Amino acid sequence: MAFSADELRVLRRALANALHPAPLPDEDVRDALRLAASVDEAVREAGRLRAFLLDDLARYREALPGSLTGYLDLLEDALAGGYDPAADDLAALRALRANPAAARLLARCQVLAERSVRARLARVSQATASAPAVSRARLLALPGGRAAEEPRPKPPTPTPAERPVPKPSEVFPPRRRPVPPPPPEERVAG
């Protein structure tokens, strides 16, 4: 993200005020709010652009092998932007590994995918290690458990007024085989 000279002046004044708090003039407050709105819009636009590029990447992947060069270029751009290759990307690159550029990109994507999986596993293990110990619930299937305390509901009995469900043979009667016509010599000329 690049800032203009005016935006940098506003940012510098806001940072100076954060370090040495003092009342700000109304004009500085408006400038800071305008800069914050501009930054928010730039972040939203970057998100929209990223979503468009990932959709475009998926379209090119679906059109493989005819879109090989475009797909490889888009995937490289996405990887440069922090994209973690998906399983579909790895499968497509494996199918195209006869192409030297695709083989190089496959090696790079495999390293990135493995790094991403390891990072997710580390986050999960940290989250489970830091979570408080949860007491186990009592088993319901053993005598003395919660099932012994609660009365079981009786299954509903069908009322005679209810219509029974028809059997498939009642709804769809068996087909009768067609009777073959008599052979030509048995036919009677009339």
Side-chain angles (χ1 to χ4, degrees):
M1 184 179 293
F3 291 105
S4 70
D6 290 332
E7 290 171 334
L8 284 175
R9 275 190 228 104
V10 170
L11 188 58
R12 190 177 311 125
R13 285 193 307 255
L15 289 173
N17 189 43
L19 291 173
H20 306 288
L24 286 174
D26 289 343
E27 183 179 332
D28 286 352
V29 172
R30 280 192 296 274
D31 290 343
L33 290 174
R34 237 186 338 268
L35 178 62
S38 296
V39 168
D40 289 344
E41 178 58 31
V43 168
R44 282 192 298 274
E45 184 61 30
R48 285 191 294 267
L49 179 62
R50 180 177 171 82
F52 172 77
L53 290 176
L54 293 180
D55 287 345
D56 209 20
L57 181 66
R59 282 191 292 275
Y60 272 78
R61 185 176 49 240
E62 290 171 5
L64 285 173
S67 63
L68 176 66
T69 55
Y71 173 70
L72 295 178
D73 291 341
L74 283 174
L75 184 58
E76 284 184 16
D77 291 344
L79 292 174
Y83 172 69
D84 285 332
D88 292 340
D89 296 314
L90 294 173
L93 289 172
R94 283 187 194 105
L96 300 168
R97 74 176 113 197
N99 181 308
R104 282 192 303 276
L105 202 52
L106 174 62
R108 180 178 170 197
C109 285
Q110 285 175 330
V111 169
L112 291 173
E114 183 177 339
R115 196 176 299 158
S116 173
V117 167
R118 288 182 189 273
R120 280 185 287 191
L121 287 175
R123 283 193 303 268
V124 167
S125 65
Q126 286 176 352
T128 56
S130 64
V134 178
S135 65
R136 292 185 173 253
R138 295 188 318 185
L139 295 176
L140 300 177
L142 297 177
R146 210 178 282 158
E149 299 169 7
E150 300 170 0
R152 292 187 181 169
K154 295 180 180 177
T157 58
T159 60
E162 288 183 13
R163 183 176 176 192
V165 177
K167 297 178 188 175
S169 62
E170 295 172 346
V171 176
F172 304 105
R175 288 190 161 177
R176 305 282 183 227
R177 289 188 182 174
V179 177
E185 55 267 356
E186 294 180 10
R187 290 186 193 163
V188 178

